[in-house]
Amino acid sequence: MPRPHRRLASTCIGTVTAGLLATGAALAAPEREQPKGSDVAMGAFLDSGPPGVARIPQLSRWLGGKEIRVGHTYLPGDRWARIEAPDFLEAWAQWRRAKANRLFVLNVPMQQHNEDHVPDRQVAQLIRAGAEGEFDHHFQRLAEKLVDLGLPDTVIVLGWEMNGATYTHRCAPDPQGWKEYWRRIVNTMRSVPGQDFKFDFAPNRGSDAIGWTKCYPGDDVVDIIGMDSYDQAPGRTFDEMVSQPYGLQQHVDFAKAHGKEISYPEWGLFRHGDNPEYVQRMLKWIGQHKPLYHTITDYCPHGVWQCKQNPRSAKAFRAALAPERPGPVIPTPVVPTPVIPTPVVPTPVVPTPVVPTPVVPTPHVPTPEIPVPTPAVPAPDVPVVPTPTPAPSTSPVPGVPDPAPEPVPVPSPAVPSPEVPAPDPVPVTPEPVEPSPQVPAPESPSPEPVPEPVPSPALPSPQTPASPSPDPVPVPVPSPAVPSPVVPSPAVPTPEPVEPPANSTEWCVPINFGEWLSKLVGKQSVCVKIDWGKDSGFWPW
């Protein structure tokens, strides 16, 4: 263990200005996610006063942003006035209150003139005086000061390295009295209202002047069992430091047996110079056993950050505690898979023939509500032939008939054939149409004298149109859907004048019974035969 006067020499005695505190607050390091196992609170002794507070964020940046959760300092042990009312704790109080997960560790000496090489006999007297309560008021004032500053949960490393031969508060001169004095200090400080202190019993590794277990004051007044371990004897290798009596392994086992947490308030390099193996093994041991906290003593020759004479150990320390940062993302070279294009064989598009569905029209044959009109064929204008009345004889010779008169020609009536437009042929069977009966031409009477005229039956006069026109009358044609059948015009024979036989004794007159009766009985005539006598040339009258 290095001489403690080096720590005291670095302590500032003057009044601390508020500007240093503000500087320390402004340099707060950003928080980052910690690697696995980093739940162990880590810190370093950087200075006793405000410079130690200001250097915490700088150490954090050096460690790649690792959070420094432990602030560690020492009370000066020269006079009781500076032990009970230190003037530099305000800066540490503000740092501690800034975050709830921070831990403030304060080494407290049990005697004044702690590094003045006081002999064992005088040390024994001081131990006895303390056990009897002579120094209680100093520790009560210190407890009240810490509570007032907002540091009621301070970890107090009381009478550290008590198994050594250096400090005035050492145990070897009176182990039993020392334990009683420890208990009195703890009970005095715990009696202050508002306190929540934790007391850390922290011997030096190894047997030193006395085995540290002989100084253990009891579980009721100890909260943490710590150990200061530097790279020095006893033990040449780290394995020997672990297995030696009162070494690292016995420390862990003793704390476990008493149900206490462990700590490493001081550790670092010393006798073997720049020793990165020791730094690596110590950090590995800490990570394995999970102490409540650990702090490295960071000034020469012990340190790794402020002391530049240990570069390899500094590199090992930094590599072990710096947060793991993701390395540069080296993209995996993407080897493009050659895309072999699949030949696209076009599927022949065979057009589906569009077969039109034949639209078969349903013939709409309306049932005629009235008979299909027969085109009106104008009747031929047949002149009425008057019955000749025998004129009085003009012959100068009585009994000789007058010469036969000239026959009067009867004009043949022109019967026009009506033009009926031919509709589109539709397979409709036309009804048979009876042709109009032929009107027989009247026979001319015989010019022979008839003794007595026989009245001729009344011949029906054929219907003569009021205004005969040589042009045909258009016949109304029904809808083309039902075309009217083409009715052929009846052939009406033109009556020719009948040459009456000379001196005929028979006179025939046709009888017209009407269209319907004429169809049944046929054409009939009434003939009258008059016998004038043989070779008679006279009328009977």
Side-chain angles (χ1 to χ4, degrees), residues 149-184:
L149 289 173
L151 297 171
D153 56 351
T154 300
V155 175
I156 298 176
V157 185
L158 181 64
W160 70 97
E161 297 179 3
M162 77 294 297
N163 60 330
T166 302
Y167 300 115
T168 304
H169 62 221
R170 60 188 180 270
C171 168
D174 187 356
Q176 187 60 37
W178 190 92
K179 290 189 286 186
E180 292 177 6
Y181 184 29
W182 168 285
R183 295 179 65 86
R184 193 168 189 97

Side-chain angles (χ1 to χ4, degrees), residues 16 49 86 97 115 132 140 148 171 190 231 243 285 297-298 305 342 352 376 381 414 481 483 519 530:
V16 180
R97 292 194 303 264
E115 296 184 26
E132 292 175 357
Q140 183 174 357
D148 291 344
C171 168
R190 283 180 174 174
D231 180 24
S243 61
W285 178 267
T297 303
D298 195 64
W305 176 52
T342 305
T352 305
D381 190 7
K519 291 179 182 180
I530 302 175

